[in-house]
Amino acid sequence: MATNTLHADIDNWTLATPAARSPNGVVASQHRLAAQAGAAQLDAGGNAIDAIVATAYALNAVEPWMSGLGGSGFMVIWLAREQRAVALDFQGTLAGDTRLEDYPVDPGLPATPMGFPGVVDNANIEGYRSITVPGAVAGLEHALRRFGTKPRAEVMAPAIALADRGLHVDWFTSLQIGVCARTLARDPISASIYLPGGHPATPESRLRIPQLAGALTEIAEAGAESFYRGALAERIVADLQAGGSRISREDLAAYEVFEYAAMAAEHRGYTLYTPGEASGGLRQREMLAHALDAMPAPPENPTPETWLVYAEALEACWKQHKIRNGVLSAADGENGACTSSMSSVDAEGNMVALTYTLLNRFGSGVTLPATGMLMNDSVSYFDPRPGYPTTMAGGKRINSSNMCPTVAVRDGEARFSVGASGGNLIMPAVTQVAALMMDFDMSLERAVHHPRLDASYRGSVRVDPRFSPETLARLGERFALEIAQQLVFPKLYACVSAVSRDPETGECIGINDPTQPIGGGAAPTPFRLGSLGSDAPAVRP
């Protein structure tokens, strides 16, 4: 088979990241400050749900391009005392007045990240018409009210403090802005924040996002009720409709979170819980079943044949997924994917995996003037052509996602949770980390650092050159290979966040992907802003 080595030898360093360890719980996130905001809830006596909600809100201020108030997602919660796993679906919904004629297909444009046709003026991925009703605030509120222990104001305090301080710009932030500068330039508010002077913000500056701290404070005080039916809702809808969105007050008021028993998949004595068929969970279950059938008894350590089994299993489950969605020639969409994943565990053994997203990096590129919220572009989850399961329709909920937050339980104890960002890359990365831990009893730290491959039935398989020559040769007998090392950008093997807990020792471990320079785990300690960026000049739009 042919081999492509385009990304085989670009960066000249070895990527590794430290793990956080504590007997009192840990949090892992794509930004260390957000993880610390979550871990502070554990330090103050909160549980894993308090921690994950604090982490998610903090990301609005430190990683706004990936997720936030304007996003949607999934959460899986293992409740240790009740011995059950709960899934929360807080995916976005289309405006009730959505019309297919607003999204005429443009054959000259590339497919969206979900593999659907592009439309005229990129209206399904950029600007106000690409926005769905966001579910994030409702989902976080639901989780905290039903399963948390701490008051909302306390849980959100770190996020508000971070938003009030402003976004410290480092080289990684400048990279994220630069990648999306064209889209951000289309929106006057986003351009004024992220493109001061018409150029991407430079490292060692600090950006103020107008109104964001105020919006977070209003949510902390009045909850999701204000966001969906109160004063915040009024300002949100006014901004949306002024920009051309069809989202109405009725659409916001009708939004609801779905809570249900998480979908279970059995694998070598573990039960893996995911949000189910609307997420990447069904593909994960199919991949593991295929791998188990092909490899009933795993060897002591992974072999070239192991990786051939994993690659073939991923190809098979992705083929079925694309058949189900009516998209057999879907584009990767990997470099535009925008998602944040986080995990938490507490000393009692409660464990959470949360993934939520704006979909593309910086979402629609729209920042609402009255709230400072970056908004999603989740209309691109839907097909602009009639007659498909994912075809646009008024009020329709996102029903096909790559997000795959996973909690793994064995002998009644949550052992690890893992999720990732990265669009089509998410499920393969999450499932490989989980499979390495279950098939070969790897530690979380070793599994996250292990070379990965990516396969999604697209005509080739991408592999990390750190694999042995024997493994590369065996895979090359079956597939066209892309030899591509792990990179900070583009992230070719997703960005994993995970925690684990040893029920015998109580030790908890949290780790973020080694390709994410700002990510990390955090052990319980009081939250302090510290000196990060404190001397940087504030950039005010």
Side-chain angles (χ1 to χ4, degrees):
M1 291 285 187
T3 299
N4 182 335
T5 59
L6 182 63
H7 293 96
D9 189 20
I10 297 175
D11 288 355
N12 188 29
W13 57 58
T14 299
L15 297 172
T17 190
R21 288 178 165 81
S22 168
N24 299 314
V26 292
V27 180
S29 169
Q30 290 177 197
H31 200 291
R32 292 188 302 279
L33 283 179
Q36 291 167 15
Q41 309 309 309
L42 300 177
D43 183 71
N47 65 12
I49 296 87
D50 301 317
I52 212 75
V53 172
T55 301
Y57 274 122
L59 287 169
N60 283 269
V62 295
E63 196 194 43
W65 53 86
M66 285 291 183
S67 59
L69 303 178
S72 304
F74 292 107
M75 189 184 310
V76 176
I77 303 169
W78 173 255
L79 301 167
R81 289 185 182 177
E82 300 179 32
Q83 293 281 286
R84 68 184 179 104
V86 174
L88 301 183
D89 174 333
F90 50 98
Q91 288 283 65
T93 59
L94 290 170
D97 192 28
T98 295
R99 306 174 189 179
L100 274 178
E101 58 263 33
D102 288 346
Y103 304 94
V105 172
D106 184 342
L109 290 175
T112 71
M114 298 302 292
F116 303 132
V119 305
V120 172
D121 196 33
N122 286 323
N124 56 344
I125 60 172
E126 294 179 356
Y128 280 84
R129 283 185 292 164
S130 70
I131 299 169
T132 61
V133 176
V137 173
L140 297 177
E141 174 95 342
H142 186 100
L144 190 64
R145 184 181 70 252
R146 291 271 288 124
F147 308 112
T149 65
K150 296 179 65 61
R152 184 175 55 244
E154 290 184 26
V155 169
M156 294 185 65
I160 294 167
L162 287 164
D164 188 59
R165 186 195 64 177
L167 173 63
H168 174 70
V169 180
D170 54 17
W171 69 267
F172 189 71
T173 303
S174 291
L175 169 64
Q176 306 306 308
I177 296 171
V179 168
C180 296
R182 184 195 61 80
T183 300
L184 292 169
R186 292 184 55 165
D187 180 68
I189 303 301
S190 293
S192 70
I193 296 168
Y194 300 105
L195 305 172
H199 304 285
T202 56
E204 303 306 318
S205 62
R206 187 154 37 92
L207 302 180
R208 298 288 187 184
I209 303 177
Q211 314 304 328
L212 179 59
L216 288 166
T217 300
E218 193 163 343
I219 294 168
E221 293 173 350
E225 181 65 23
S226 178
F227 188 95
Y228 292 94
R229 285 168 285 276
L232 259 178
E234 186 173 344
R235 301 202 300 278
I236 290 168
V237 170
D239 282 347
L240 287 170
Q241 293 186 350
S245 169
R246 293 188 182 275
I247 293 174
S248 67
R249 284 291 301 272
E250 291 74 22
D251 293 327
L252 277 181
Y255 186 81
E256 59 180 326
V257 177
F258 295 163
E259 176 188 325
Y260 49 90
M263 186 178 78
E266 304 297 328
H267 190 78
R268 303 199 197 280
Y270 287 84
T271 303
L272 278 74
Y273 293 103
T274 63
E277 296 188 10
S279 73
L282 178 58
R283 274 165 283 164
Q284 180 188 86
R285 184 168 67 180
E286 292 172 343
M287 183 274 189
L288 291 171
H290 189 289
L292 189 64
D293 184 61
M295 189 172 60
E300 185 176 350
N301 292 296
T303 66
E305 202 65 29
T306 299
W307 291 102
L308 180 61
V309 167
Y310 286 173
E312 289 179 335
L314 287 168
E315 289 283 279
C317 72
W318 267 100
K319 180 180 180 179
Q320 290 306 309
H321 172 71
K322 290 179 177 181
I323 289 172
R324 285 190 292 263
N325 277 2
V327 182
L328 278 174
S329 58
D332 271 352
E334 66 229 16
N335 295 340
C338 163
T339 300
S340 197
S341 186
M342 62 218 79
S343 291
S344 65
V345 60
D346 59 35
E348 188 178 342
N350 300 300
M351 192 174 283
V352 187
L354 164 64
T355 308
Y356 81 134
T357 185
L358 298 177
L359 191 55
N360 279 320
R361 185 177 285 101
F362 285 98
S364 60
V366 169
T367 299
L368 298 187
T371 58
M373 291 166 45
L374 261 170
M375 299 303 293
N376 67 78
D377 65 323
S378 294
V379 167
S380 58
Y381 271 116
F382 298 90
D383 200 321
R385 304 167 299 176
Y388 290 93
T390 50
T391 295
M392 297 177 188
K396 192 171 187 175
R397 196 180 191 93
I398 296 168
N399 62 8
S400 180
S401 170
N402 291 309
M403 290 183 284
C404 194
T406 301
V407 175
V409 176
R410 186 172 187 175
D411 298 330
E413 299 273 2
R415 302 301 180 97
F416 63 87
S417 70
V418 58
S421 63
N424 286 1
L425 311 173
I426 291 173
M427 190 283 296
V430 168
T431 307
Q432 284 172 82
V433 169
L436 289 172
M437 296 180 72
M438 296 183 296
D439 290 347
F440 301 102
D441 199 28
M442 280 192 189
S443 68
L444 176 64
E445 193 169 10
R446 185 182 170 202
V448 169
H449 281 91
H450 198 284
R452 298 196 285 268
L453 55 79
D454 183 69
S456 57
Y457 199 69
R458 63 174 184 273
S460 63
V461 170
R462 186 181 296 119
V463 291
D464 189 323
R466 293 181 298 150
F467 279 115
S468 70
E470 294 79 12
T471 297
L472 296 178
R474 185 71 179 98
L475 289 167
E477 294 172 6
R478 171 69 174 80
F479 300 106
L481 296 187
E482 302 171 54
I483 310 298
Q485 70 179 121
Q486 285 195 346
L487 300 170
V488 171
F489 180 84
K491 292 194 189 307
L492 301 175
Y493 302 97
C495 181
V496 170
S497 291
V499 300
S500 66
R501 180 176 181 271
D502 186 331
E504 294 183 4
T505 66
E507 182 183 47
C508 302
I509 298 174
I511 192 168
N512 182 243
D513 202 88
T515 64
Q516 182 78 350
I518 61 174
T525 190
F527 183 75
R528 297 183 178 87
L529 283 179
S531 60
L532 179 62
S534 59
D535 297 324
V539 179
R540 300 178 185 275

